[in-house]
């Protein structure tokens, strides 16, 4: 349960909101690199943190992320002509470069220098690991580029997708640190999904539906450990990483690629669920990539030409009551991603947390909210840099391990929870 | 025509949600497991709580030795914050949750099993908070966690007292 004002602090991320200031401390994923496939390609509308922006790639392959609307009469530059080093508004020909600087106002004498007085708001847009990242905070506070492992391994070792989720970012993200739902909502997929099935750990997941939890703060966020019994009296631990503000990494299963998410606010009622898979040591196989493109694992199939999932609220998520009854899927919705999204969207665009009744196994969620609220307070009162900005906080891994009962996961798995170049994830 | 989900998920539909309280007050017993946790629990008790009561187990006697003929009794193993002796089993009757508060590095070998076993017998859910982890060596923290782990559904290495307050509030204590 949260008080109304706490809920608003955490769920509102527009300009000049406390939560918005927090998100504007980080590099966040903005677009897939293939959305701007070549120089002078069509510009792309981007809404992030409740700001309407436009991304484009100019003649010299420079990426720009600028205010969507022309400074002259407010026309959307999505109609613009991407030509000769800038984006030209087709209404009256005003032209902007990749920094948002107006470089031509055809109606004014060139010598007047009028165009120098016009500049659209812009943000940096930088490619890393197949993702275009942006930083929307004050330029003088720009942190180092992100160093998440999935974005720094060779490209053939990772796959990233994004999907529209039609609810606030926080309720989507909270699903990412809520391990206890897996044994119910996703139980069908543990045996059938090509990117999940076959791992020894799945048997422990299915065999013990009442996991016991331990939560500890990590430098950048939280470790959420879920403990289940093994057949020989040891404990099977699944340790999820949450790094501020909205990165979650799911513990690995067998030799499958490791999955994770970023939950990035579009506005207060929609977010992007960024989903990545990578393997620290080997290229992804053709069949793994084919499965990801086919919407398996944590990915989805799309409505053609969009990033909206094929199963969505407009078609009741293609719910199949017979599959639900027969146990092929637990909720009747197919696919891990849409199983989560259908639950979270059904809460409404922004869930009213004053009405919820959390239990002790929700403590990962409680602690994450607490840490976010603390970071917002420290940011507002002391301008303190929040956890997760430091790139060292980003060089983390999730892990699944079997430990003797006396061992603490955060202690025994210290190495496993950090990036170790040339060493595989610790997995069961 | 839009689907049922599309209509139901819309923000405008939120105003039709039932506004009655969907919960009854939980009964939460907050227990300090060692002397260093006692002042923490005293400070927690100053807050506004609906169904939380606060105790200390720091006056616990050592567990009875099998070689003594001393009569083992739960009746004297718990005190409220005024120092009155309380019967552990009585307190657990009707409790929904026991929140144990411990200090990293303290020896809980005597107290954790007694409370844990009693909660198990009474089917009361447990959560444990460990404070002060930053100031002690890792192996000492591990020892404390080891002593608590068998007896709790959720073990939290709490960064601050405030985290305990927030958690109890989130659990509607």
């Amino acid at each position: 349960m949260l008080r109304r004002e706490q809920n608003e602090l955490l769920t509102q991320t527009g300009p000049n909101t406390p939560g918005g200031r927090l998100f504007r401390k980080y590099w966040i994923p903005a677009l897939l690199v293939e959305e701007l496939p070549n120089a002078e390609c069509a510009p792309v509308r981007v809404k992030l943190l409740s700001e309407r922006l436009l991304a484009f790639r100019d003649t010299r392959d420079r990426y720009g992320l600028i205010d969507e609307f022309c400074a002259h009469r407010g026309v959307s530059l999505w109609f613009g002509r991407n030509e000769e080093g800038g984006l030209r508004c087709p209404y009256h020909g005003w032209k902007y470069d990749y920094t948002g600087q107006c470089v031509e106002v055809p109606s004014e004498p060139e010598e007047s220098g009028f165009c120098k007085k016009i500049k659209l708001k812009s943000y940096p847009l930088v490619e890393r690991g197949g993702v275009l990242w942006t930083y929307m905070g004050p330029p003088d506070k720009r942190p180092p580029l992100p160093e998440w492992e999935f974005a720094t391994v060779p490209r053939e070792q990772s796959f990233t997708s994004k999907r529209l989720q039609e609810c606030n970012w926080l309720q989507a993200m909270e699903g990412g640190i809520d391990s206890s739902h897996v044994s119910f909502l996703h139980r069908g997929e543990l045996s059938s999904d090509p990117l999940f099935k076959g791992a020894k750990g799945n048997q422990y997941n299915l065999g013990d539906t009442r996991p016991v939890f331990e939560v500890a703060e990590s430098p950048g966020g939280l470790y959420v450990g879920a403990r289940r019994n093994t057949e020989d009296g040891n404990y099977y631990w699944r340790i999820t990483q949450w790094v501020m503000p909205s990165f979650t990494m799911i513990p690995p299963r067998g030799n499958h690629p490791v999955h994770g998410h970023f939950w990035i606010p579009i506005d207060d009622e929609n977010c992007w669920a960024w989903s990545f898979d990578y393997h620290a040591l080997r290229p992804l196989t053709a069949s793994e990539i084919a499965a990801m493109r086919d919407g398996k694992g944590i990915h989805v199939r799309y409505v053609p030409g969009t990033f909206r999932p094929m199963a969505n609220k407009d078609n009741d998520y293609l719910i199949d009551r017979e599959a639900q009854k027969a146990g092929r899927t637990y909720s009747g919705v197919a696919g891990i991603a849409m199983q989560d999204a259908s639950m979270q969207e059904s809460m409404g665009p922004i869930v009213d947390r004053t009405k919820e009744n959390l239990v002790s196994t929700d403590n990962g969620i409680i602690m994450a909210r607490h840490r976010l609220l603390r970071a917002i307070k420290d940011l507002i009162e002391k301008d303190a840099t929040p956890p997760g900005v430091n790139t060292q906080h980003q060089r983390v891994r999730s892990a699944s391990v079997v430990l003797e009962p006396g061992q603490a996961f955060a202690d025994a798995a210290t190495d496993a929870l950090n990036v170790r170049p040339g060493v595989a994830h610790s997995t069961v | 025509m839009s689907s049922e989900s599309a209509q139901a998920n819309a923000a405008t539909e939120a105003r039709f949600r039932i506004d009655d309280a969907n919960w009854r007050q939980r009964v939460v017993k907050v227990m300090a497991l060692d002397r260093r946790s006692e002042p923490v629990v005293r400070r927690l008790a100053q807050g506004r709580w609906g169904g939380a009561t606060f105790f200390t187990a720091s006056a616990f006697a050592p567990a009875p030795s099998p070689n003594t003929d001393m009569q083992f009794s739960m009746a004297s193993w718990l005190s409220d914050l005024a120092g009155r002796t309380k019967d552990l089993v009585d307190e657990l009757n009707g409790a929904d949750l026991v929140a144990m508060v411990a200090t990293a590095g303290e020896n809980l070998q005597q107290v954790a099993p007694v409370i844990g076993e009693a909660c198990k017998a009474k089917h009361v859910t447990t959560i444990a908070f460990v404070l002060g982890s930053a100031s002690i060596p890792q192996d000492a923290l591990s020892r404390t966690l080891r002593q608590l782990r068998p007896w709790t559904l959720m073990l939290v290495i709490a960064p601050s007292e405030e985290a305990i307050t927030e958690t109890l509030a989130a659990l509607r204590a």
Side-chain angles (χ1 to χ4, degrees):
Chain A
M1 190 270 286
L2 281 180
R3 295 190 300 278
R4 190 170 306 284
E5 62 273 19
Q6 290 176 314
N7 201 32
E8 288 172 1
L9 269 180
L10 292 174
T11 54
Q12 296 175 358
T13 57
N16 305 316
T17 61
R21 274 187 66 184
L22 182 77
F23 264 94
R24 284 167 177 80
K25 285 286 179 183
Y26 301 87
W27 285 97
I28 57 174
L31 299 102
L32 290 162
V33 74
E34 56 261 37
E35 291 181 74
L36 294 174
N38 46 51
E40 296 189 351
C41 61
V44 176
R45 281 191 174 107
V46 177
K47 183 156 66 162
L48 287 174
L49 310 182
S50 301
E51 292 188 45
R52 294 271 299 267
L53 302 162
L54 194 76
F56 70 104
R57 183 170 173 176
D58 78 1
T59 314
R60 292 167 54 191
D61 282 323
R62 294 174 300 192
Y63 293 109
L65 184 62
I66 63 174
D67 182 346
E68 182 187 334
F69 301 99
C70 180
H72 180 208
R73 300 279 308 282
V75 163
S76 172
L77 291 169
W78 181 79
F79 293 98
R81 299 171 59 89
N82 188 357
E83 59 188 17
E84 296 166 342
L87 196 63
R88 190 184 296 281
C89 178
Y91 206 9
H92 302 91
W94 290 32
K95 186 177 177 185
Y96 302 90
D97 73 9
Y98 74 106
T99 69
Q101 178 62 53
C102 183
V103 292
E104 261 187 73
V105 177
S107 61
E108 299 297 306
E110 199 177 327
E111 312 80 61
S112 72
F114 174 74
C115 67
K116 290 183 184 143
K117 295 184 175 172
I118 304 291
K119 186 176 187 304
L120 297 177
K121 178 91 175 167
S122 73
Y123 300 113
L125 195 59
V126 176
E127 194 275 332
R128 183 158 271 216
V131 174
L132 295 172
W133 303 79
T134 189
Y135 164 73
M136 295 170 66
D140 60 323
K141 298 279 175 66
R142 181 169 151 171
L145 288 172
E147 289 196 14
W148 309 100
E149 189 177 31
F150 83 92
T152 55
V153 295
R155 284 293 300 278
E156 64 272 21
Q157 292 176 213
S158 72
F159 177 90
T160 304
S161 70
K162 71 176 193 181
R163 66 176 161 80
L164 175 68
Q165 181 152 342
E166 297 175 70
C167 68
N168 183 264
W169 76 278
L170 185 64
Q171 67 210 54
M173 188 204 75
E174 287 177 347
I177 48 178
D178 164 19
S179 289
S180 64
H181 77 280
V182 176
S183 302
F184 293 93
L185 185 62
H186 305 315
R187 64 181 302 124
E189 277 63 26
L190 293 181
S191 313
S192 64
D193 191 288
L195 297 168
F196 279 64
K197 69 180 182 183
K200 171 80 174 162
N202 296 353
Q203 295 170 22
Y204 300 136
N205 256 104
L206 294 170
D208 185 352
T209 56
R210 298 196 64 196
V212 178
F213 291 88
E214 284 186 33
V215 181
E217 287 204 345
S218 66
L222 290 179
Y223 304 122
V224 182
R227 187 185 94 202
R228 291 174 171 87
N229 296 317
T230 67
E231 64 277 37
D232 55 4
N234 287 325
Y235 291 148
Y236 169 61
W237 286 96
R238 293 182 58 75
I239 308 156
T240 300
Q241 289 268 8
W242 170 67
V243 181
M244 294 251 308
S246 63
F247 171 89
T248 53
M249 193 189 281
I250 302 164
R253 295 184 186 279
N255 192 35
H256 289 303
V258 183
H259 338 273
H261 297 283
F262 275 98
W263 313 92
I264 301 298
I266 294 172
D267 52 35
D268 293 344
E269 298 189 354
N270 297 277
C271 66
W272 288 118
W274 285 83
S275 305
F276 63 82
D277 263 276
Y278 76 104
H279 199 289
L281 296 188
R282 64 164 174 82
L284 304 184
T285 66
S287 63
E288 285 169 343
I289 291 173
M292 292 166 198
R293 290 196 193 286
D294 192 38
K296 299 295 191 297
I298 60 170
H299 306 279
V300 296
R301 287 186 187 169
Y302 299 114
V303 172
T306 75
F307 290 104
R308 193 174 195 222
M310 180 75 83
N312 57 58
K313 66 182 183 185
D314 289 332
N315 53 30
D316 284 322
Y317 307 95
L318 304 173
I319 191 167
D320 180 345
R321 295 288 183 188
E322 281 185 24
Q324 184 185 44
K325 201 158 275 281
R328 292 193 299 279
T329 57
Y330 197 72
S331 71
V333 173
I336 287 163
M338 291 320 298
Q339 286 163 358
D340 283 326
S342 57
M343 299 295 106
Q344 294 153 2
E345 290 181 6
S346 77
M347 298 169 176
I350 306 174
V351 68
D352 179 358
R353 290 179 174 80
T354 65
K355 288 189 161 57
E356 67 187 4
N357 286 283
L358 300 183
V359 291
S360 54
T361 50
D362 293 315
N363 205 263
I365 291 171
I366 296 170
M367 293 283 283
R369 292 175 186 173
H370 175 63
R371 195 145 199 208
L372 284 164
L373 287 167
R374 246 166 58 215
I376 290 172
K377 184 167 181 277
D378 289 347
L379 178 63
I380 301 304
E381 291 178 0
K382 299 179 242 170
D383 198 26
T385 300
V389 172
N390 182 334
T391 53
Q392 200 56 42
H393 298 175
Q394 301 164 5
R395 300 187 60 73
V396 296
R397 287 179 174 176
S398 55
S400 55
V401 289
V402 172
L403 298 175
E404 290 176 2
Q407 292 179 286
F409 78 78
D411 191 8
T414 303
D415 287 343
L417 294 170
N418 289 291
V419 170
R420 291 174 295 166
V423 179
H425 275 75
S426 296
T427 181
V428 177
Chain B
M1 196 175 84
S2 69
S3 73
E4 193 170 308
S5 293
Q7 292 175 48
N9 294 3
T12 49
E13 283 294 303
R15 67 196 162 102
F16 300 115
R17 292 195 176 197
I18 304 296
D19 203 26
D20 289 3
N22 59 5
W23 56 286
R24 288 188 190 158
Q25 184 58 59
R26 296 184 209 184
V27 177
V28 180
K29 307 289 178 180
V30 184
M31 300 181 184
L33 299 196
D34 54 78
R35 285 193 194 285
R36 289 168 63 202
S37 301
E38 190 177 329
V40 175
V41 169
R42 284 188 185 280
R43 285 192 289 275
L44 285 172
Q46 304 300 310
R48 288 184 62 189
W49 304 105
T53 43
F54 299 82
F55 302 90
T56 175
S58 58
F60 276 16
S65 156
N67 299 326
T68 68
D69 51 7
M70 183 177 74
Q71 188 64 42
F72 176 73
S73 166
M74 297 258 183
S76 60
W77 277 48
L78 203 61
S79 312
D80 66 14
L81 296 184
R84 290 181 294 247
T85 301
K86 294 286 177 181
D87 185 308
L88 175 59
V89 175
D90 279 353
E91 291 299 329
L92 294 184
N93 286 329
D96 297 301
L97 175 71
V98 164
M100 298 185 258
V101 181
T103 309
E106 291 293 304
N107 185 355
L108 309 173
Q109 219 161 1
Q110 310 281 356
V111 64
V114 173
I115 295 176
E117 286 284 12
C119 289
K120 202 170 165 187
K122 290 284 179 184
H123 305 291
V124 177
T125 302
T126 54
I127 182 170
F129 300 94
V130 178
L131 281 163
S133 61
S135 57
I136 63 157
Q138 187 64 42
D139 58 338
L141 171 63
S142 291
R143 197 167 51 245
T144 304
L145 296 176
R146 217 168 25 242
Q147 290 168 354
L148 287 167
R149 191 168 291 127
W151 311 113
T152 180
L153 182 63
M154 170 61 82
L155 187 48
V156 183
I157 302 170
S160 63
E161 288 179 36
E162 191 193 4
I164 303 177
T165 308
E166 289 291 327
T167 303
L168 292 175
L171 295 174
R172 297 191 187 278

